[in-house]
Amino acid sequence: MADLDQTLSVALKGYAWLPDLRRRAGGGPVRTRVMGRPAVGICGPAAARFFYGAGNLERHGALPELVVQTLFGRGAVHTLDGAAHRHRKALFTSLLLDGDGVDRLAELAGQEFDLAARRWRGGPPVRLFDESARIIAAAVARWVGVPPEDLAVDALARDCVAMVDGFATVGPRSARALAARRLQERKLTKIIARVRAEAPTRSPLSVVAHHRDENGLLDPRTAAVELLNIIRPTIAVAWFVAFAAHAMDMWPRHQARLRADDDAFALAFTHEVRRFYPFAPFLGGRAVRDSFFEGEPIKAGTLVLLDVYGQNHDPRLWTDPYRFDPERFLDREIGEFDLIPQGGGDPRTGHRCPGEQITVAVLGTLVRRLAGLDHYLPPQRTRIDLSRIPARPRDRIVLVVPEQEPSAPVRASRSLATGGS
Ligand code: HEM
């Protein structure tokens, strides 16, 4: 099995591919081949520590071309190493980890949800996944500072969803992703060029437009790529909103607790949604030098795959991992390398997602709003197919909000305190 190229298996088995391969090999590092290259799959906090360890791996040349062309964009921060990565990453950490940006964005998302919920009341069924993408698109575009005359929220939401939905497959979904990226990059490149001619402000749009790497200003298209690397993944939080609605439907007792004034539980719920439900299947880096991990020799050039989905369901880390149980996070200190739906390690120095706090804050805000909204899910297909990457509930969560307002006002207008893992 180890001799066969596993690219097709990834496409067929989706999230189960690497966990299955590791299980069959006894649980430790497993050798395989992906895209014609030797690869080794690893999992667990020690594996994450190795994956993010300084000087062990590089991203350059490790990411499949299709993923770069659909999801991240050419020249994106995800693909950089060393000093180039450090300079570019500083742009993201200044915007996403410092200051009050996170709370402001969560507040805007809450406002947009309230506007949408008013529209939904007494109307036909809506698809929560699509609606959430539009709600978040409107919020993040306002937050970034996209000029109102350039704002086309529906197209932005649709294109960003397409880029995420099409990153792991060839065929119509990836064709849509490529077209969506071309369109949005072209549009944002023009906006960047225009903003550059104006005096700098503190808006994220202006900060990206005027950002300087080690070689000076970014070319306008690369700046547009990085602006999209803020807008697109924020809109992708819609995946987690749909999963959260799925969880509330499956285990309704959580909804009552989310309605209550219980910040700790709401935060625990968002962590459990990010742990339990599938999103990023695994991460890849290329070994820079010959080394060992858990006794396994890893030669320079080997593709190292960190099993994200496997680690988030590893019984050595999580008791009863296939049980959806937000309470597991109530009394748990989250280590840098254990909960890794958005990568591990230090987001300021390594490749860990700098948008984790935004994800937690926006998701928490929308989840509380949703829990406070009197709605029901009519009969529909809620099954989540784990062979599809990225997975999502089959009918994208259809919901109905009846005409009648609830008798007691719903208190769900707060943004969740920040504090990502
Ligand atoms: C939908 C929720 C999200 C998920 C599941 C997610 C997941 C991830 C993952 C798995 C990585 C790769 C880590 C690595 O390569 O080691 C990553 C990187 C990144 N994410 Fe997120 N992310 C999300 C939301 C966000 C948000 C809201 C933003 C920005 C506002 C963002 C911006 C980025 C950037 C810029 C990187 C590249 C970091 C680097 O290479 O240094 N993400 N994300």
Side-chain angles (χ1 to χ4, degrees):
M1 197 63 174
D3 292 327
L4 292 177
D5 192 293
Q6 294 281 301
T7 311
L8 186 62
S9 294
V10 182
L12 292 175
K13 285 189 161 181
Y15 293 91
W17 168 68
L18 196 47
D20 276 359
L21 210 59
R22 286 192 309 99
R23 203 173 307 121
R24 285 209 300 274
V30 60
R31 295 202 167 276
T32 181
R33 284 187 82 80
V34 180
M35 297 176 307
R37 289 157 58 178
V40 57
I42 57 175
C43 181
R49 211 174 272 279
F50 174 81
F51 190 83
Y52 288 98
N56 286 346
L57 305 178
E58 62 182 11
R59 301 304 172 97
H60 178 75
L63 303 169
E65 196 49 33
L66 183 62
V67 175
V68 175
Q69 283 184 17
T70 52
L71 194 61
F72 304 141
R74 261 190 303 124
V77 61
H78 308 70
T79 65
L80 304 178
D81 294 296
H85 178 254
R86 227 176 10 259
H87 278 96
R88 190 73 60 78
K89 192 70 185 266
L91 165 66
F92 290 93
T93 54
S94 72
L95 287 171
L96 307 176
L97 296 177
D98 302 328
D100 61 355
V102 174
D103 289 338
R104 175 75 189 131
L105 180 48
E107 191 186 317
L108 290 171
Q111 288 172 10
E112 295 293 341
F113 183 98
D114 291 343
L115 280 175
R118 245 171 264 150
R119 247 192 359 259
W120 302 340
R121 186 165 296 289
V126 294
R127 278 190 206 279
L128 179 67
F129 174 82
D130 304 17
E131 292 287 325
S132 303
R134 274 194 287 271
I135 286 167
I136 301 168
V140 71
R142 280 171 68 193
W143 183 79
V144 156
V146 175
E149 66 274 18
D150 293 311
L151 199 55
V153 168
D154 285 3
L156 184 64
R158 202 182 47 236
D159 287 345
C160 287
V161 164
M163 286 177 225
V164 180
D165 205 43
F167 83 90
T169 153
V170 285
R173 269 159 64 201
S174 76
R176 266 200 302 278
L178 291 168
R181 170 162 291 284
R182 254 195 315 273
L183 225 120
Q184 288 300 330
E185 275 187 13
R186 206 176 306 141
K187 188 168 172 183
L188 292 178
T189 302
K190 282 192 195 138
I191 296 177
I192 292 277
R194 217 180 328 128
V195 170
R196 247 183 213 172
E198 299 162 4
T201 70
R202 289 180 55 201
S203 78
L205 169 59
S206 178
V207 173
V208 174
H210 291 96
H211 173 74
R212 287 177 176 277
D213 267 1
E214 46 190 348
N215 301 320
L217 275 179
L218 303 179
D219 70 85
R221 200 200 48 80
T222 306
V225 162
E226 299 299 30
L227 191 60
L228 262 181
N229 279 329
I230 293 174
I231 296 173
R232 184 204 65 257
T234 307
I235 294 172
V237 174
W239 261 266
F240 284 143
V241 176
F243 289 143
H246 181 272
M248 281 190 241
D249 185 51
M250 294 286 291
W251 305 284
R253 65 181 184 283
H254 299 315
Q255 187 168 348
R257 249 180 117 175
L258 286 167
R259 278 172 173 243
D261 190 13
D262 187 343
D263 288 353
F265 182 78
L267 182 61
F269 183 88
T270 63
H271 286 325
E272 183 66 345
V273 167
R274 295 186 310 124
R275 181 197 72 82
F276 182 81
Y277 286 98
F279 208 159
F282 49 79
L283 296 169
R286 214 162 48 124
V288 173
R289 52 187 163 84
D290 292 353
S291 61
F292 284 89
F293 174 69
E294 290 183 350
E296 192 72 23
I298 297 180
K299 279 182 108 48
T302 303
L303 194 59
V304 179
L305 304 176
L306 179 64
D307 185 357
V308 170
Y309 183 75
Q311 180 161 333
N312 285 338
H313 296 84
D314 187 339
R316 292 171 303 179
L317 255 178
W318 315 101
T319 312
D320 210 351
Y322 287 94
R323 204 172 108 90
F324 184 86
D325 178 18
E327 297 204 1
R328 70 173 80 243
F329 284 109
L330 282 181
D331 53 4
R332 182 179 178 129
E333 186 91 355
I334 302 175
E336 243 186 19
F337 295 99
D338 53 4
L339 178 68
I340 58 161
Q342 296 176 237
D346 182 347
R348 289 180 188 274
T349 53
H351 279 278
R352 187 185 191 132
C353 177
E356 207 160 357
Q357 291 189 15
I358 282 187
T359 304
V360 169
V362 169
L363 177 61
T365 300
L366 298 187
V367 158
R368 285 179 126 168
R369 292 288 213 281
L370 186 66
L373 185 72
D374 57 323
H375 68 272
Y376 67 88
L377 272 54
Q380 62 187 286
R381 294 168 300 177
T382 51
R383 188 168 170 272
I384 298 166
D385 175 3
L386 288 180
S387 70
R388 183 193 201 275
I389 301 175
R392 59 186 188 187
R394 187 86 170 89
D395 284 342
R396 311 203 293 282
I397 305 291
V398 178
L399 59 86
V400 174
V401 182
E403 185 71 63
Q404 192 70 40
E405 289 261 11
S407 47
V410 169
R411 46 170 293 63
S413 57
R414 318 179 28 202
S415 72
L416 192 70
T418 56
S421 47

